[in-house]
Amino acid sequence: NAGVTQTPKFQVLKTGQSMTLQCAQDMNHNSMYWYRQDPGMGLRLIYYSASEGTTDKGEVPNGYNVSRLNKREFSLRLESAAPSQTSVYFCASNPYGGRLSNQPQHFGDGTRLSIL
Amino acid sequence: QKEVEQNSGPLSVPEGAIASLNCTYSDRGSQSFFWYRQYSGKSPELIMSIYSNGDKEDGRFTAQLNKASQYVSLLIRDSQPSDSATYLCAVNAGLTGGGNKLTFGTGTQLKVEL
């Protein structure tokens, strides 16, 4: 019963390198989310996918791209990493799509990303 | 800009006392409210959901919601050292929020002292 699985757990990149963070959920949830968490800033939404086949920008999308590969998987790509993207990245999912979902989100364990 | 405000703390309480954590939100259309606990270096873990005005109790935890005042709180009774963590308030904006997005507060750090 894995829930939301993120890979890798840790990564160090050099400025300008690219990388894809992977996220998969086994709860048959429709909606998936990518957040970053920085000290004093709380959780900020980067991108989300309300349902398979759709993606939308969140609060801080610049420098990132996403792909909803299928219902289970939602990846986050950094095309040209910058030191400002050093952060902890969390993927989350919740059961329902639509405008009136009341369900909480369930989080993965996070990816700790450092960009030198 | 929809906002969720929390006092960053740290809030220090002695073991066995009641810890009271508070959260205010700006969007009157908000419909769902959640409290997450986050231990240092770990991911957020859902501990309470509340959707209607009043109190909701689950074990040592009580969530309180007052939509008129745009205020949600979390009470932790008989606080234990294991409750020491950061508590995140999250709000789903519902009709005006565009789908299932949550807005998070920056969290309140709770320290339960022996």
Side-chain angles (χ1 to χ4, degrees):
Chain A
N1 199 12
V4 180
T5 302
Q6 292 184 236
T7 56
K9 295 192 183 306
F10 302 93
Q11 186 70 47
V12 178
L13 294 177
K14 294 181 179 179
T15 298
Q17 288 185 316
S18 62
M19 171 165 193
T20 299
L21 280 59
Q22 306 287 353
C23 176
Q25 52 89 12
D26 62 2
M27 297 175 284
N28 201 36
H29 286 174
N30 284 323
S31 299
M32 298 183 73
Y33 311 81
W34 276 106
Y35 293 90
R36 61 179 289 173
Q37 187 174 38
D38 304 292
M41 301 292 290
L43 283 159
R44 293 184 292 169
L45 183 65
I46 304 171
Y47 270 93
Y48 69 104
S49 171
S51 61
E52 186 179 358
T54 69
T55 60
D56 285 287
K57 294 178 180 180
E59 181 185 354
V60 288
N62 291 343
Y64 305 96
N65 287 301
V66 291
S67 295
R68 184 73 183 266
L69 305 170
N70 48 55
K71 191 171 184 179
R72 291 187 62 250
E73 299 172 288
F74 188 39
S75 63
L76 178 72
R77 183 161 178 85
L78 286 70
E79 289 291 354
S80 179
S84 61
Q85 294 177 304
T86 293
S87 188
V88 181
Y89 291 84
F90 288 104
C91 178
S93 69
N94 77 345
Y96 301 110
R99 294 170 61 84
L100 298 179
S101 170
N102 283 337
Q103 300 302 308
Q105 294 177 13
H106 301 269
F107 285 81
D109 289 339
T111 295
R112 284 146 185 83
L113 182 61
S114 293
I115 299 161
L116 306 177
Chain B
Q1 178 75 17
K2 300 177 179 62
E3 292 184 347
V4 177
E5 302 282 349
Q6 294 181 257
N7 189 322
S8 62
L11 172 66
S12 294
V13 299
E15 184 179 7
I18 296 174
S20 178
L21 305 164
N22 304 315
C23 172
T24 59
Y25 59 95
S26 63
D27 185 0
R28 284 196 170 276
S30 299
Q31 298 189 352
S32 309
F33 307 86
F34 307 100
W35 283 99
Y36 287 83
R37 177 176 63 199
Q38 187 174 25
Y39 293 114
S40 180
K42 300 296 185 181
S43 61
E45 171 193 12
L46 179 74
I47 54 172
M48 289 290 286
S49 305
I50 188 165
Y51 304 104
S52 55
N53 282 329
D55 295 359
K56 179 182 177 182
E57 185 174 320
D58 184 359
R60 295 186 297 112
F61 299 99
T62 299
Q64 300 174 316
L65 176 61
N66 184 326
K67 289 186 177 180
S69 300
Q70 296 175 240
Y71 176 93
V72 58
S73 65
L74 178 70
L75 300 178
I76 306 174
R77 290 182 299 281
D78 188 23
S79 295
Q80 301 296 310
S82 58
D83 295 326
S84 297
T86 296
Y87 289 80
L88 305 174
C89 174
V91 176
N92 181 320
L95 283 173
T96 58
N100 310 297
K101 294 181 290 184
L102 293 179
T103 301
F104 284 84
T106 54
T108 297
Q109 185 183 6
L110 173 66
K111 293 185 177 181
V112 180
E113 299 169 334
L114 295 171

